[in-house]
Amino acid sequence: MLESPHIPVLPNEVISLLQQAQNPNPMWFLDGTAGEGGHSKLILKTFPEAKLILIDRDAVMLERAKKEIQKEIGSLDRVHTFQMNFSEVDRTLLEEVGCSGLDGALVDLGVSLFHFLHSGRGFTFKNEEPLDMRLEPQVGQKTAADVVNYSSVLHLKKVFWEYGEERWALKIANNIVQSRHKKKFETNTDLVKLVEASIPRKFWPKESHPATRIFQALRIEVNEELVHAEKGIRSLANCLQIGGVLTCISFHSLEDRIVKWTFRDLKATNEFEILTKKPILPTDQEIKENRASRSAKLRGLRKIEPIKESRWEK
């Protein structure tokens, strides 16, 4: 298997935000989406005395991240790993490793390049693969093929429109239902051919494949990504100690909207402050060197002492 080149997105910007943690000697960080360990290695290098809780819902990715950290940092002595969804992190988990509160946390909501190039689960359309798209195949949740083969027209339209913002959602949904009567969808290639046939050629996007939005929508539906994003942000925010910082990287408007609105809700409790009035974007140089970063947006939030109302306020 060829190794996929991996470059962490917005590396300097993530570290800069985490360094705004107000504990003078930060000891505990959490990477909620380990991926291939890029950001984790930066955290461990930047904070040489700190410990790291490493989370990923995909066992394959967690092992890859551990190997990368071992190779570059030299050991895993400061790392505690858990295969789980970052939305499941709570104070009980922190207590298990002797952590009273996080000084910093990172969530990268993007899907690793490895999944697209090497997972064999149908995330992409470059090679014919089973139409799976599960980030946790061992859990046994529905696959993308299940969604396509057994959902109603209205549900498919809803998924494609809400999660993919696909203007041809209804036509594609209708064509899927008609086509599956003859033959069930089994591979990514089956679906790609139908989407290509459903969208008039003159309306194909210039810079991406016409099936890109449909594949994004199915991946979000299968893995319940947006649900876990909001739940996870709230959970991790509540795991921060006073002065701790939470950073979130999103890659499309739906994710960024959830991060933005959830941060605003948390700020309204008077227990958090938003560190980024607008999302931090990659520089032109980073986009040139790492095309995967082109749509990335980074936001940061810090936990503060609860603001007490004046006794003169009613």
Side-chain angles (χ1 to χ4, degrees), residues 133-166:
M133 296 195 191
R134 291 174 297 172
L135 292 173
E136 297 172 280
Q138 70 284 352
V139 172
Q141 81 263 34
K142 64 187 176 185
T143 66
D146 293 331
V147 175
V148 170
N149 288 323
Y150 302 107
S151 298
S152 67
V153 169
L154 291 180
H155 183 70
L156 288 172
K157 176 198 171 186
K158 181 174 183 290
V159 169
F160 298 155
W161 174 251
E162 292 187 4
Y163 296 160
E165 299 176 310
E166 173 56 67

PDB file of all heavy atoms in Angstrom, residues 133-166:
ATOM      1  N   MET A 133     -18.518   3.726   3.405  1.00  0.00           N
ATOM      2  CA  MET A 133     -18.349   5.066   3.988  1.00  0.00           C
ATOM      3  C   MET A 133     -18.428   5.115   5.510  1.00  0.00           C
ATOM      4  O   MET A 133     -18.488   6.195   6.095  1.00  0.00           O
ATOM      5  CB  MET A 133     -19.352   6.077   3.405  1.00  0.00           C
ATOM      6  CG  MET A 133     -19.204   6.352   1.934  1.00  0.00           C
ATOM      7  SD  MET A 133     -20.105   7.830   1.446  1.00  0.00           S
ATOM      8  CE  MET A 133     -20.026   7.692  -0.333  1.00  0.00           C
ATOM      9  N   ARG A 134     -18.388   4.000   6.196  1.00  0.00           N
ATOM     10  CA  ARG A 134     -18.424   4.026   7.660  1.00  0.00           C
ATOM     11  C   ARG A 134     -17.035   4.344   8.216  1.00  0.00           C
ATOM     12  O   ARG A 134     -16.048   3.752   7.803  1.00  0.00           O
ATOM     13  CB  ARG A 134     -18.904   2.683   8.217  1.00  0.00           C
ATOM     14  CG  ARG A 134     -20.365   2.374   7.938  1.00  0.00           C
ATOM     15  CD  ARG A 134     -20.719   0.983   8.391  1.00  0.00           C
ATOM     16  NE  ARG A 134     -19.962  -0.038   7.658  1.00  0.00           N
ATOM     17  CZ  ARG A 134     -19.964  -1.331   7.952  1.00  0.00           C
ATOM     18  NH1 ARG A 134     -20.691  -1.779   8.965  1.00  0.00           N
ATOM     19  NH2 ARG A 134     -19.245  -2.181   7.237  1.00  0.00           N
ATOM     20  N   LEU A 135     -16.982   5.255   9.178  1.00  0.00           N
ATOM     21  CA  LEU A 135     -15.738   5.540   9.873  1.00  0.00           C
ATOM     22  C   LEU A 135     -15.497   4.542  10.993  1.00  0.00           C
ATOM     23  O   LEU A 135     -14.385   4.426  11.497  1.00  0.00           O
ATOM     24  CB  LEU A 135     -15.766   6.968  10.442  1.00  0.00           C
ATOM     25  CG  LEU A 135     -15.749   8.088   9.390  1.00  0.00           C
ATOM     26  CD1 LEU A 135     -15.949   9.438  10.057  1.00  0.00           C
ATOM     27  CD2 LEU A 135     -14.449   8.069   8.590  1.00  0.00           C
ATOM     28  N   GLU A 136     -16.549   3.843  11.389  1.00  0.00           N
ATOM     29  CA  GLU A 136     -16.450   2.808  12.425  1.00  0.00           C
ATOM     30  C   GLU A 136     -17.079   1.513  11.896  1.00  0.00           C
ATOM     31  O   GLU A 136     -18.140   1.108  12.368  1.00  0.00           O
ATOM     32  CB  GLU A 136     -17.182   3.245  13.694  1.00  0.00           C
ATOM     33  CG  GLU A 136     -16.618   4.482  14.353  1.00  0.00           C
ATOM     34  CD  GLU A 136     -17.506   4.966  15.479  1.00  0.00           C
ATOM     35  OE1 GLU A 136     -18.520   5.622  15.188  1.00  0.00           O
ATOM     36  OE2 GLU A 136     -17.193   4.688  16.652  1.00  0.00           O
ATOM     37  N   PRO A 137     -16.462   0.861  10.929  1.00  0.00           N
ATOM     38  CA  PRO A 137     -17.087  -0.325  10.331  1.00  0.00           C
ATOM     39  C   PRO A 137     -17.350  -1.444  11.312  1.00  0.00           C
ATOM     40  O   PRO A 137     -18.266  -2.248  11.131  1.00  0.00           O
ATOM     41  CB  PRO A 137     -16.073  -0.748   9.252  1.00  0.00           C
ATOM     42  CG  PRO A 137     -14.781  -0.113   9.647  1.00  0.00           C
ATOM     43  CD  PRO A 137     -15.166   1.169  10.323  1.00  0.00           C
ATOM     44  N   GLN A 138     -16.577  -1.495  12.395  1.00  0.00           N
ATOM     45  CA  GLN A 138     -16.755  -2.556  13.371  1.00  0.00           C
ATOM     46  C   GLN A 138     -18.010  -2.364  14.214  1.00  0.00           C
ATOM     47  O   GLN A 138     -18.486  -3.299  14.857  1.00  0.00           O
ATOM     48  CB  GLN A 138     -15.524  -2.658  14.290  1.00  0.00           C
ATOM     49  CG  GLN A 138     -15.344  -1.516  15.260  1.00  0.00           C
ATOM     50  CD  GLN A 138     -14.803  -0.246  14.632  1.00  0.00           C
ATOM     51  OE1 GLN A 138     -14.409  -0.237  13.466  1.00  0.00           O
ATOM     52  NE2 GLN A 138     -14.779   0.812  15.399  1.00  0.00           N
ATOM     53  N   VAL A 139     -18.559  -1.152  14.224  1.00  0.00           N
ATOM     54  CA  VAL A 139     -19.747  -0.875  15.037  1.00  0.00           C
ATOM     55  C   VAL A 139     -20.999  -1.466  14.409  1.00  0.00           C
ATOM     56  O   VAL A 139     -21.929  -1.860  15.098  1.00  0.00           O
ATOM     57  CB  VAL A 139     -19.916   0.648  15.239  1.00  0.00           C
ATOM     58  CG1 VAL A 139     -21.246   0.964  15.915  1.00  0.00           C
ATOM     59  CG2 VAL A 139     -18.757   1.187  16.068  1.00  0.00           C
ATOM     60  N   GLY A 140     -21.007  -1.537  13.082  1.00  0.00           N
ATOM     61  CA  GLY A 140     -22.117  -2.191  12.406  1.00  0.00           C
ATOM     62  C   GLY A 140     -23.283  -1.298  12.050  1.00  0.00           C
ATOM     63  O   GLY A 140     -24.391  -1.769  11.817  1.00  0.00           O
ATOM     64  N   GLN A 141     -23.042   0.043  12.009  1.00  0.00           N
ATOM     65  CA  GLN A 141     -24.140   0.917  11.629  1.00  0.00           C
ATOM     66  C   GLN A 141     -24.398   0.796  10.126  1.00  0.00           C
ATOM     67  O   GLN A 141     -23.655   0.163   9.398  1.00  0.00           O
ATOM     68  CB  GLN A 141     -23.856   2.376  12.028  1.00  0.00           C
ATOM     69  CG  GLN A 141     -22.948   3.152  11.068  1.00  0.00           C
ATOM     70  CD  GLN A 141     -21.511   3.188  11.510  1.00  0.00           C
ATOM     71  OE1 GLN A 141     -21.005   2.235  12.096  1.00  0.00           O
ATOM     72  NE2 GLN A 141     -20.833   4.271  11.213  1.00  0.00           N
ATOM     73  N   LYS A 142     -25.451   1.449   9.660  1.00  0.00           N
ATOM     74  CA  LYS A 142     -25.826   1.373   8.250  1.00  0.00           C
ATOM     75  C   LYS A 142     -24.692   1.880   7.363  1.00  0.00           C
ATOM     76  O   LYS A 142     -23.911   2.754   7.744  1.00  0.00           O
ATOM     77  CB  LYS A 142     -27.079   2.208   8.006  1.00  0.00           C
ATOM     78  CG  LYS A 142     -26.888   3.696   8.266  1.00  0.00           C
ATOM     79  CD  LYS A 142     -28.182   4.460   8.191  1.00  0.00           C
ATOM     80  CE  LYS A 142     -27.961   5.939   8.561  1.00  0.00           C
ATOM     81  NZ  LYS A 142     -29.219   6.682   8.606  1.00  0.00           N
ATOM     82  N   THR A 143     -24.609   1.314   6.162  1.00  0.00           N
ATOM     83  CA  THR A 143     -23.613   1.736   5.185  1.00  0.00           C
ATOM     84  C   THR A 143     -24.250   2.727   4.217  1.00  0.00           C
ATOM     85  O   THR A 143     -25.469   2.927   4.208  1.00  0.00           O
ATOM     86  CB  THR A 143     -23.093   0.545   4.379  1.00  0.00           C
ATOM     87  OG1 THR A 143     -24.180   0.020   3.587  1.00  0.00           O
ATOM     88  CG2 THR A 143     -22.551  -0.552   5.291  1.00  0.00           C
ATOM     89  N   ALA A 144     -23.421   3.327   3.396  1.00  0.00           N
ATOM     90  CA  ALA A 144     -23.940   4.226   2.363  1.00  0.00           C
ATOM     91  C   ALA A 144     -24.832   3.462   1.391  1.00  0.00           C
ATOM     92  O   ALA A 144     -25.833   3.994   0.901  1.00  0.00           O
ATOM     93  CB  ALA A 144     -22.783   4.886   1.622  1.00  0.00           C
ATOM     94  N   ALA A 145     -24.482   2.204   1.107  1.00  0.00           N
ATOM     95  CA  ALA A 145     -25.326   1.377   0.229  1.00  0.00           C
ATOM     96  C   ALA A 145     -26.700   1.169   0.847  1.00  0.00           C
ATOM     97  O   ALA A 145     -27.717   1.191   0.141  1.00  0.00           O
ATOM     98  CB  ALA A 145     -24.642   0.039  -0.031  1.00  0.00           C
ATOM     99  N   ASP A 146     -26.759   0.965   2.162  1.00  0.00           N
ATOM    100  CA  ASP A 146     -28.049   0.808   2.842  1.00  0.00           C
ATOM    101  C   ASP A 146     -28.905   2.055   2.666  1.00  0.00           C
ATOM    102  O   ASP A 146     -30.112   1.968   2.396  1.00  0.00           O
ATOM    103  CB  ASP A 146     -27.844   0.542   4.335  1.00  0.00           C
ATOM    104  CG  ASP A 146     -27.195  -0.798   4.619  1.00  0.00           C
ATOM    105  OD1 ASP A 146     -27.390  -1.724   3.811  1.00  0.00           O
ATOM    106  OD2 ASP A 146     -26.495  -0.914   5.645  1.00  0.00           O
ATOM    107  N   VAL A 147     -28.290   3.227   2.830  1.00  0.00           N
ATOM    108  CA  VAL A 147     -29.023   4.489   2.691  1.00  0.00           C
ATOM    109  C   VAL A 147     -29.575   4.620   1.278  1.00  0.00           C
ATOM    110  O   VAL A 147     -30.755   4.938   1.072  1.00  0.00           O
ATOM    111  CB  VAL A 147     -28.112   5.692   3.017  1.00  0.00           C
ATOM    112  CG1 VAL A 147     -28.849   7.007   2.748  1.00  0.00           C
ATOM    113  CG2 VAL A 147     -27.648   5.631   4.464  1.00  0.00           C
ATOM    114  N   VAL A 148     -28.739   4.356   0.291  1.00  0.00           N
ATOM    115  CA  VAL A 148     -29.143   4.510  -1.109  1.00  0.00           C
ATOM    116  C   VAL A 148     -30.192   3.470  -1.510  1.00  0.00           C
ATOM    117  O   VAL A 148     -31.147   3.779  -2.234  1.00  0.00           O
ATOM    118  CB  VAL A 148     -27.901   4.411  -2.022  1.00  0.00           C
ATOM    119  CG1 VAL A 148     -28.312   4.321  -3.484  1.00  0.00           C
ATOM    120  CG2 VAL A 148     -26.996   5.615  -1.803  1.00  0.00           C
ATOM    121  N   ASN A 149     -30.044   2.249  -1.031  1.00  0.00           N
ATOM    122  CA  ASN A 149     -30.925   1.164  -1.477  1.00  0.00           C
ATOM    123  C   ASN A 149     -32.269   1.097  -0.764  1.00  0.00           C
ATOM    124  O   ASN A 149     -33.217   0.512  -1.298  1.00  0.00           O
ATOM    125  CB  ASN A 149     -30.213  -0.186  -1.313  1.00  0.00           C
ATOM    126  CG  ASN A 149     -29.106  -0.384  -2.336  1.00  0.00           C
ATOM    127  OD1 ASN A 149     -29.235   0.021  -3.487  1.00  0.00           O
ATOM    128  ND2 ASN A 149     -28.006  -0.999  -1.910  1.00  0.00           N
ATOM    129  N   TYR A 150     -32.377   1.684   0.427  1.00  0.00           N
ATOM    130  CA  TYR A 150     -33.599   1.472   1.207  1.00  0.00           C
ATOM    131  C   TYR A 150     -34.286   2.749   1.696  1.00  0.00           C
ATOM    132  O   TYR A 150     -35.348   2.674   2.311  1.00  0.00           O
ATOM    133  CB  TYR A 150     -33.300   0.563   2.407  1.00  0.00           C
ATOM    134  CG  TYR A 150     -32.740  -0.772   1.980  1.00  0.00           C
ATOM    135  CD1 TYR A 150     -31.396  -1.087   2.168  1.00  0.00           C
ATOM    136  CD2 TYR A 150     -33.559  -1.709   1.336  1.00  0.00           C
ATOM    137  CE1 TYR A 150     -30.872  -2.302   1.747  1.00  0.00           C
ATOM    138  CE2 TYR A 150     -33.037  -2.923   0.906  1.00  0.00           C
ATOM    139  CZ  TYR A 150     -31.699  -3.221   1.112  1.00  0.00           C
ATOM    140  OH  TYR A 150     -31.180  -4.409   0.687  1.00  0.00           O
ATOM    141  N   SER A 151     -33.721   3.906   1.418  1.00  0.00           N
ATOM    142  CA  SER A 151     -34.359   5.157   1.838  1.00  0.00           C
ATOM    143  C   SER A 151     -35.413   5.584   0.827  1.00  0.00           C
ATOM    144  O   SER A 151     -35.320   5.271  -0.366  1.00  0.00           O
ATOM    145  CB  SER A 151     -33.317   6.272   1.972  1.00  0.00           C
ATOM    146  OG  SER A 151     -32.364   5.967   2.968  1.00  0.00           O
ATOM    147  N   SER A 152     -36.398   6.327   1.285  1.00  0.00           N
ATOM    148  CA  SER A 152     -37.432   6.859   0.402  1.00  0.00           C
ATOM    149  C   SER A 152     -36.868   7.998  -0.439  1.00  0.00           C
ATOM    150  O   SER A 152     -35.800   8.548  -0.127  1.00  0.00           O
ATOM    151  CB  SER A 152     -38.611   7.380   1.217  1.00  0.00           C
ATOM    152  OG  SER A 152     -38.214   8.521   1.970  1.00  0.00           O
ATOM    153  N   VAL A 153     -37.600   8.359  -1.477  1.00  0.00           N
ATOM    154  CA  VAL A 153     -37.186   9.486  -2.311  1.00  0.00           C
ATOM    155  C   VAL A 153     -37.041  10.748  -1.472  1.00  0.00           C
ATOM    156  O   VAL A 153     -36.065  11.493  -1.599  1.00  0.00           O
ATOM    157  CB  VAL A 153     -38.206   9.723  -3.449  1.00  0.00           C
ATOM    158  CG1 VAL A 153     -37.931  11.058  -4.149  1.00  0.00           C
ATOM    159  CG2 VAL A 153     -38.151   8.599  -4.459  1.00  0.00           C
ATOM    160  N   LEU A 154     -38.028  10.997  -0.611  1.00  0.00           N
ATOM    161  CA  LEU A 154     -38.006  12.217   0.189  1.00  0.00           C
ATOM    162  C   LEU A 154     -36.821  12.253   1.149  1.00  0.00           C
ATOM    163  O   LEU A 154     -36.212  13.306   1.368  1.00  0.00           O
ATOM    164  CB  LEU A 154     -39.319  12.373   0.956  1.00  0.00           C
ATOM    165  CG  LEU A 154     -40.557  12.675   0.104  1.00  0.00           C
ATOM    166  CD1 LEU A 154     -41.796  12.803   0.981  1.00  0.00           C
ATOM    167  CD2 LEU A 154     -40.343  13.957  -0.712  1.00  0.00           C
ATOM    168  N   HIS A 155     -36.490  11.089   1.722  1.00  0.00           N
ATOM    169  CA  HIS A 155     -35.348  11.069   2.639  1.00  0.00           C
ATOM    170  C   HIS A 155     -34.046  11.294   1.883  1.00  0.00           C
ATOM    171  O   HIS A 155     -33.174  12.044   2.351  1.00  0.00           O
ATOM    172  CB  HIS A 155     -35.281   9.743   3.398  1.00  0.00           C
ATOM    173  CG  HIS A 155     -34.169   9.704   4.409  1.00  0.00           C
ATOM    174  ND1 HIS A 155     -34.191  10.449   5.559  1.00  0.00           N
ATOM    175  CD2 HIS A 155     -32.977   9.034   4.421  1.00  0.00           C
ATOM    176  CE1 HIS A 155     -33.088  10.248   6.254  1.00  0.00           C
ATOM    177  NE2 HIS A 155     -32.327   9.391   5.578  1.00  0.00           N
ATOM    178  N   LEU A 156     -33.903  10.658   0.735  1.00  0.00           N
ATOM    179  CA  LEU A 156     -32.696  10.859  -0.061  1.00  0.00           C
ATOM    180  C   LEU A 156     -32.565  12.317  -0.485  1.00  0.00           C
ATOM    181  O   LEU A 156     -31.485  12.906  -0.414  1.00  0.00           O
ATOM    182  CB  LEU A 156     -32.715   9.954  -1.295  1.00  0.00           C
ATOM    183  CG  LEU A 156     -32.491   8.465  -1.041  1.00  0.00           C
ATOM    184  CD1 LEU A 156     -32.724   7.672  -2.319  1.00  0.00           C
ATOM    185  CD2 LEU A 156     -31.081   8.207  -0.509  1.00  0.00           C
ATOM    186  N   LYS A 157     -33.677  12.906  -0.919  1.00  0.00           N
ATOM    187  CA  LYS A 157     -33.647  14.320  -1.309  1.00  0.00           C
ATOM    188  C   LYS A 157     -33.202  15.176  -0.127  1.00  0.00           C
ATOM    189  O   LYS A 157     -32.375  16.085  -0.275  1.00  0.00           O
ATOM    190  CB  LYS A 157     -35.021  14.765  -1.781  1.00  0.00           C
ATOM    191  CG  LYS A 157     -35.085  16.251  -2.123  1.00  0.00           C
ATOM    192  CD  LYS A 157     -36.505  16.770  -2.177  1.00  0.00           C
ATOM    193  CE  LYS A 157     -36.511  18.288  -2.296  1.00  0.00           C
ATOM    194  NZ  LYS A 157     -37.875  18.854  -2.208  1.00  0.00           N
ATOM    195  N   LYS A 158     -33.737  14.900   1.057  1.00  0.00           N
ATOM    196  CA  LYS A 158     -33.392  15.666   2.259  1.00  0.00           C
ATOM    197  C   LYS A 158     -31.897  15.549   2.564  1.00  0.00           C
ATOM    198  O   LYS A 158     -31.231  16.546   2.860  1.00  0.00           O
ATOM    199  CB  LYS A 158     -34.207  15.153   3.442  1.00  0.00           C
ATOM    200  CG  LYS A 158     -33.980  15.865   4.764  1.00  0.00           C
ATOM    201  CD  LYS A 158     -34.962  15.349   5.812  1.00  0.00           C
ATOM    202  CE  LYS A 158     -34.814  16.107   7.130  1.00  0.00           C
ATOM    203  NZ  LYS A 158     -33.559  15.804   7.830  1.00  0.00           N
ATOM    204  N   VAL A 159     -31.373  14.337   2.497  1.00  0.00           N
ATOM    205  CA  VAL A 159     -29.951  14.108   2.769  1.00  0.00           C
ATOM    206  C   VAL A 159     -29.089  14.867   1.767  1.00  0.00           C
ATOM    207  O   VAL A 159     -28.146  15.583   2.147  1.00  0.00           O
ATOM    208  CB  VAL A 159     -29.622  12.600   2.718  1.00  0.00           C
ATOM    209  CG1 VAL A 159     -28.107  12.371   2.726  1.00  0.00           C
ATOM    210  CG2 VAL A 159     -30.262  11.879   3.896  1.00  0.00           C
ATOM    211  N   PHE A 160     -29.407  14.733   0.480  1.00  0.00           N
ATOM    212  CA  PHE A 160     -28.594  15.355  -0.563  1.00  0.00           C
ATOM    213  C   PHE A 160     -28.671  16.885  -0.505  1.00  0.00           C
ATOM    214  O   PHE A 160     -27.668  17.567  -0.759  1.00  0.00           O
ATOM    215  CB  PHE A 160     -29.023  14.869  -1.947  1.00  0.00           C
ATOM    216  CG  PHE A 160     -28.850  13.387  -2.161  1.00  0.00           C
ATOM    217  CD1 PHE A 160     -29.632  12.711  -3.099  1.00  0.00           C
ATOM    218  CD2 PHE A 160     -27.932  12.661  -1.429  1.00  0.00           C
ATOM    219  CE1 PHE A 160     -29.484  11.347  -3.300  1.00  0.00           C
ATOM    220  CE2 PHE A 160     -27.767  11.290  -1.621  1.00  0.00           C
ATOM    221  CZ  PHE A 160     -28.551  10.638  -2.555  1.00  0.00           C
ATOM    222  N   TRP A 161     -29.833  17.417  -0.172  1.00  0.00           N
ATOM    223  CA  TRP A 161     -30.000  18.863  -0.141  1.00  0.00           C
ATOM    224  C   TRP A 161     -29.405  19.468   1.135  1.00  0.00           C
ATOM    225  O   TRP A 161     -28.656  20.430   1.088  1.00  0.00           O
ATOM    226  CB  TRP A 161     -31.476  19.234  -0.252  1.00  0.00           C
ATOM    227  CG  TRP A 161     -31.721  20.711  -0.092  1.00  0.00           C
ATOM    228  CD1 TRP A 161     -32.309  21.346   0.947  1.00  0.00           C
ATOM    229  CD2 TRP A 161     -31.346  21.740  -1.018  1.00  0.00           C
ATOM    230  NE1 TRP A 161     -32.313  22.708   0.747  1.00  0.00           N
ATOM    231  CE2 TRP A 161     -31.732  22.980  -0.451  1.00  0.00           C
ATOM    232  CE3 TRP A 161     -30.705  21.742  -2.262  1.00  0.00           C
ATOM    233  CZ2 TRP A 161     -31.516  24.192  -1.094  1.00  0.00           C
ATOM    234  CZ3 TRP A 161     -30.486  22.962  -2.898  1.00  0.00           C
ATOM    235  CH2 TRP A 161     -30.890  24.165  -2.309  1.00  0.00           C
ATOM    236  N   GLU A 162     -29.721  18.871   2.286  1.00  0.00           N
ATOM    237  CA  GLU A 162     -29.280  19.454   3.554  1.00  0.00           C
ATOM    238  C   GLU A 162     -27.804  19.224   3.830  1.00  0.00           C
ATOM    239  O   GLU A 162     -27.125  20.101   4.368  1.00  0.00           O
ATOM    240  CB  GLU A 162     -30.122  18.895   4.710  1.00  0.00           C
ATOM    241  CG  GLU A 162     -31.571  19.352   4.675  1.00  0.00           C
ATOM    242  CD  GLU A 162     -32.342  18.942   5.908  1.00  0.00           C
ATOM    243  OE1 GLU A 162     -31.737  18.366   6.838  1.00  0.00           O
ATOM    244  OE2 GLU A 162     -33.557  19.201   5.946  1.00  0.00           O
ATOM    245  N   TYR A 163     -27.287  18.042   3.489  1.00  0.00           N
ATOM    246  CA  TYR A 163     -25.894  17.725   3.799  1.00  0.00           C
ATOM    247  C   TYR A 163     -24.946  17.957   2.632  1.00  0.00           C
ATOM    248  O   TYR A 163     -23.734  18.037   2.841  1.00  0.00           O
ATOM    249  CB  TYR A 163     -25.769  16.267   4.248  1.00  0.00           C
ATOM    250  CG  TYR A 163     -26.503  15.951   5.530  1.00  0.00           C
ATOM    251  CD1 TYR A 163     -26.842  14.641   5.849  1.00  0.00           C
ATOM    252  CD2 TYR A 163     -26.854  16.946   6.435  1.00  0.00           C
ATOM    253  CE1 TYR A 163     -27.506  14.334   7.036  1.00  0.00           C
ATOM    254  CE2 TYR A 163     -27.521  16.654   7.607  1.00  0.00           C
ATOM    255  CZ  TYR A 163     -27.849  15.345   7.905  1.00  0.00           C
ATOM    256  OH  TYR A 163     -28.508  15.040   9.065  1.00  0.00           O
ATOM    257  N   GLY A 164     -25.483  18.042   1.420  1.00  0.00           N
ATOM    258  CA  GLY A 164     -24.624  18.256   0.263  1.00  0.00           C
ATOM    259  C   GLY A 164     -24.923  19.550  -0.470  1.00  0.00           C
ATOM    260  O   GLY A 164     -24.177  19.950  -1.353  1.00  0.00           O
ATOM    261  N   GLU A 165     -26.029  20.191  -0.099  1.00  0.00           N
ATOM    262  CA  GLU A 165     -26.465  21.418  -0.773  1.00  0.00           C
ATOM    263  C   GLU A 165     -26.474  21.214  -2.288  1.00  0.00           C
ATOM    264  O   GLU A 165     -26.050  22.080  -3.056  1.00  0.00           O
ATOM    265  CB  GLU A 165     -25.570  22.584  -0.351  1.00  0.00           C
ATOM    266  CG  GLU A 165     -25.633  22.868   1.146  1.00  0.00           C
ATOM    267  CD  GLU A 165     -24.689  23.955   1.610  1.00  0.00           C
ATOM    268  OE1 GLU A 165     -23.480  23.892   1.258  1.00  0.00           O
ATOM    269  OE2 GLU A 165     -25.141  24.861   2.311  1.00  0.00           O
ATOM    270  N   GLU A 166     -26.985  20.039  -2.679  1.00  0.00           N
ATOM    271  CA  GLU A 166     -27.017  19.640  -4.088  1.00  0.00           C
ATOM    272  C   GLU A 166     -28.320  20.097  -4.738  1.00  0.00           C
ATOM    273  O   GLU A 166     -29.411  19.690  -4.334  1.00  0.00           O
ATOM    274  CB  GLU A 166     -26.877  18.118  -4.194  1.00  0.00           C
ATOM    275  CG  GLU A 166     -27.051  17.549  -5.597  1.00  0.00           C
ATOM    276  CD  GLU A 166     -26.100  18.184  -6.595  1.00  0.00           C
ATOM    277  OE1 GLU A 166     -24.879  17.966  -6.470  1.00  0.00           O
ATOM    278  OE2 GLU A 166     -26.595  18.902  -7.494  1.00  0.00           O
TER     279      GLU A 166
END
